[in-house]
Every structure is written in structure tokens, then in C-alpha cells.
Amino acid sequence: MGAWHGRLPAWLRVLVLAAAVTGLIGCARWAAEAYDGAVAYRRAPLCTGAPGPDCVARVAGTVVGMTSGESCTTDSNGSRSCTPYYRLRVRYGDRTAWRDVGHGTYEDTHRGDPARLRTWHGAVVRLEVRGHTETYLSPADNSLVWRLAATWLAFGVVLWAVVSGRPSGLIAFPNLGWLGLSLPVAGLVHGALFGASVLEWVMMVVFAAFLAFWMISGWEIEGRHVDYRRRGRRRWGW
């Protein structure tokens, strides 16, 4: 068996494990910083005077652009699925930003329409136009989701170093399921911390369950192939 398929030497495995644990701790602290920012946003009052860093600003804006289309993906079987999107471009002060909106908001809005915005550290977190209201994650919330995903991946490397230690196992095809799980797991943790709608919970749980099932099935199939190869080598005296 080649070195690629064998376990790492004990000393190298310990070094990799130490580095992975260090990375896991660093990612957890990194996520904790974003969590503090997300909590600060939720506790921030509306600004009563001039906008400041510790309050949510209310500003006037104007719709200066509109676009719509479809975002399409193709799976491994060649099946194509598309999801429509609708976006408004809003100017507020000396800034502009594109924001996703619902179909109803898009249909009722026209270029030049006034909009009422709420911003946190310069980013739009709420948009009101033509009687429609759209809300968005704060920059800290977005950052928290990605940092939680990075923490999940670092945790996976720690598990690999403890359980397997084979270089080939780190990039094995079933482990792509672990990579895919990073976002739904991050979303579930974020939802547990700050709440999520029933639809969001259902979508995240279904997606996570599908990836987990796919990953476990892949491991079982790969395990059968490994056993088959081992029996073949013993049979032929390899």
C-alpha cells in the first residue's frame, strides 16, 4: 500500500492534529467576534440624532436601478433547476447597493421611487418602498455564518487526524458531503442563536439530512470497495 493510502507517521500525525486543534480554536474565537457584532446590532437602538456607530440609522434613499433573472444550477444527472431573483439598486447618500427583494416588491417598484432605509455600519439592513418591507442580515451576521462554516471544516480536519490520518481519506469523495454540510450546519447554529422562520428551519434540516445521508452512503460504498480489494489481495497473495 502506497504512502498516500497509508496512515501518516505518528510524529507527523501529532503535528497535524496540533495544527488542526489550533485552527479549530482560532476559528471558534473568530466566530465569537462576529457573534458579538451580531448581538450588538440586535441590541442597538434607532439613531435619534446624527447616525453613529452604536445605533441603527434611518436614511432616505432612491431606487436607481432594477434587474431580474434566473439563477440556474445543473446537478450530476444533468437536471437543470432555476430560481428567479429580483433586485433593486438603491442610492442613499454617496453610496449605492443592490438588494434582493420579493416578486411583489419588484413588480410594484419603479426607478426613481423614494425608499426608506435602515443601515448598520453603512450596510442596508431594512428597505421600505411602495408599502413593502424587506429585511437583510447585518454584515456581522453574514460574517458569522461563514466563520461558523470555517469552524465546522476545521472540526472535520481534527476528526480526520484522530480517526483516519490517511492523506487519501482527507479528500475522499464522500467527504465532499462534510464540505457541503458546512453551510447548513452554520445556518442551523445561527438559527439556534438568533431564531429562524419555520421555512428556513425545514430547508436547512432537509438539506443537512440529505448531505449527511449522501456522505454516510458514500463511506459505506467506499468501505465495501476497500474490503473487496483486501479480499482480492489475500486471495491472490498480493
Side-chain angles (χ1 to χ4, degrees):
M1 184 178 294
W4 178 251
H5 295 281
R7 290 180 182 273
L8 294 174
W11 65 269
L12 182 55
R13 192 173 174 185
V14 170
L15 288 178
V16 171
L17 178 59
V21 170
T22 301
L24 177 60
I25 294 173
C27 285
R29 290 179 175 175
W30 193 38
E33 293 177 0
Y35 171 78
D36 291 340
V39 170
Y41 162 66
R42 282 166 173 76
R43 293 178 177 174
L46 291 174
C47 298
T48 56
D54 299 323
C55 60
V56 177
R58 291 177 285 194
V59 298
T62 305
V63 177
V64 295
M66 304 173 65
T67 186
S68 64
E70 290 186 331
S71 177
C72 299
T73 59
T74 304
D75 61 22
S76 57
N77 296 321
S79 299
R80 183 180 174 86
S81 61
C82 297
T83 303
Y85 64 82
Y86 308 93
R87 293 172 185 156
L88 301 181
R89 189 183 186 193
V90 184
R91 176 181 294 126
Y92 54 107
D94 58 353
R95 300 188 182 191
T96 58
W98 283 101
R99 281 301 183 213
D100 291 326
V101 297
H103 178 261
T105 304
Y106 183 85
E107 286 295 315
D108 291 343
T109 303
H110 305 88
R111 287 182 178 86
D113 281 346
R116 293 187 298 176
L117 311 174
R118 291 186 183 180
T119 63
W120 172 254
H121 292 180
V124 177
V125 293
R126 180 181 171 118
L127 165 65
E128 296 179 38
V129 59
R130 289 276 183 172
H132 298 275
T133 301
E134 306 282 349
T135 58
Y136 310 95
L137 290 177
S138 70
D141 283 285
N142 282 317
S143 180
L144 176 59
V145 170
W146 289 108
R147 294 181 187 192
L148 287 171
T151 303
W152 172 258
L153 295 179
F155 176 59
V157 177
V158 171
L159 285 182
W160 167 80
V162 172
V163 176
S164 173
R166 293 184 175 89
S168 60
L170 184 61
I171 59 172
F173 183 71
N175 288 342
L176 292 177
W178 187 276
L179 176 64
L181 275 169
S182 60
L183 287 181
V185 167
L188 288 169
V189 174
H190 187 277
L193 291 172
F194 299 112
S197 67
V198 174
L199 178 60
E200 289 172 333
W201 276 112
V202 171
M203 291 179 61
M204 289 185 293
V205 169
V206 170
F207 188 33
F210 169 77
L211 289 172
F213 175 78
W214 179 81
M215 182 173 59
I216 293 172
S217 299
W219 281 340
E220 291 179 350
I221 293 172
E222 187 175 83
R224 294 194 195 104
H225 287 169
V226 171
D227 291 340
Y228 178 79
R229 289 195 297 267
R230 287 175 178 172
R231 287 196 298 269
R233 286 194 293 268
R234 287 196 297 267
R235 180 179 179 182
W236 297 102
W238 293 355

